[in-house]
């Protein structure tokens, strides 16, 4: 039996053009599930500093946080550049098995700098950090479409 991941989200304005967003995402799968039912972290939608589904197991925890600066801080509201957002964010998390303990020595983390336009087109740089940084590599990314914000 699978328990759906649980999300706790905080979205806090820090002024007219700046806001802080964070999220804690947790989940577990009971029993001995087949591989397709395991929980995973990695890739642009869950853990951008690491490859798609790089971390897979029956337990999962991820903390995401970001500062979002609106382009309207620098451009007139009617300007075509007003929908720009400048984002500094980071993630910390891991997966582990039901017979294992959560361990700080296995935490993966990353830092990301991003610019997006209308919250659809995006370009940025992501850097794996922390004790598992050697398991991935820094990269520049370009994307289109909705994306997870924290």
């Amino acid at each position: 039996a699978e328990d759906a991941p649980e999300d706790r989200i905080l979205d806090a304005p820090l002024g007219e053009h700046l806001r802080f967003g964070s999220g804690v995402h947790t989940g577990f799968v009971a029993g001995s599930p087949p591989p397709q039912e395991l929980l995973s972290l990695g890739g642009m939608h869950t853990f951008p500093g690491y490859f798609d589904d790089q971390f897979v197991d029956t337990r999962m925890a991820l903390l995401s946080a970001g500062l979002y600066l609106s382009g309207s801080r620098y451009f007139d509201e009617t300007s075509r550049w007003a929908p720009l957002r400048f984002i500094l964010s980071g993630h910390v998390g891991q997966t582990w098995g039901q017979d294992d303990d959560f361990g700080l020595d296995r935490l993966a983390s990353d830092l990301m700098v991003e610019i997006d336009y209308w919250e659809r087109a995006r370009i940025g740089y992501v850097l794996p950090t922390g004790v598992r940084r050697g398991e991935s590599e820094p990269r520049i990314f370009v994307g289109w479409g909705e994306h997870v914000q924290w």
Side-chain angles (χ1 to χ4, degrees):
E2 178 178 339
D3 285 3
E6 184 173 335
D7 299 326
R8 301 271 187 228
I9 305 295
L10 170 67
D11 184 8
L14 299 177
E16 184 178 353
H17 302 285
L18 183 66
R19 72 183 174 90
F20 172 79
S22 70
V24 176
H25 314 281
T26 61
F28 73 93
V29 181
S32 300
Q36 66 270 22
E37 291 181 14
L38 293 173
L39 300 170
S40 67
L41 292 175
M44 290 309 300
H45 292 286
T46 61
F47 211 153
Y50 295 88
F51 303 109
D52 288 343
D53 302 328
Q54 185 162 347
F55 307 110
V56 179
D57 219 316
T58 58
R59 308 281 189 269
M60 172 279 284
L62 178 68
L63 168 66
S64 306
L67 284 172
Y68 300 81
L69 178 63
S70 170
S72 61
R73 164 86 165 86
Y74 302 102
F75 304 104
D76 186 84
E77 291 286 339
T78 59
S79 166
R80 74 175 66 160
W81 302 111
L84 281 174
R85 286 191 315 167
F86 305 94
I87 304 164
L88 175 63
S89 63
H91 307 82
V92 176
Q94 72 174 271
T95 59
W96 67 99
Q98 57 193 12
D99 296 329
D100 300 323
D101 292 324
F102 179 89
L104 296 177
D105 60 331
R106 293 189 314 268
L107 278 177
S109 57
D110 68 20
L111 288 174
M112 184 166 65
V113 176
E114 178 180 353
I115 298 172
D116 76 17
Y117 188 70
W118 285 107
E119 298 183 27
R120 296 284 188 267
R122 57 197 292 219
I123 185 167
Y125 177 78
V126 64
L127 176 68
T129 60
V131 297
R132 299 185 80 168
R133 67 185 170 274
E135 297 178 36
S136 189
E137 57 192 37
R139 60 185 173 271
I140 294 172
F141 61 90
V142 176
W144 178 259
E146 285 190 63
H147 60 279
V148 177
Q149 296 185 25
W150 27 74

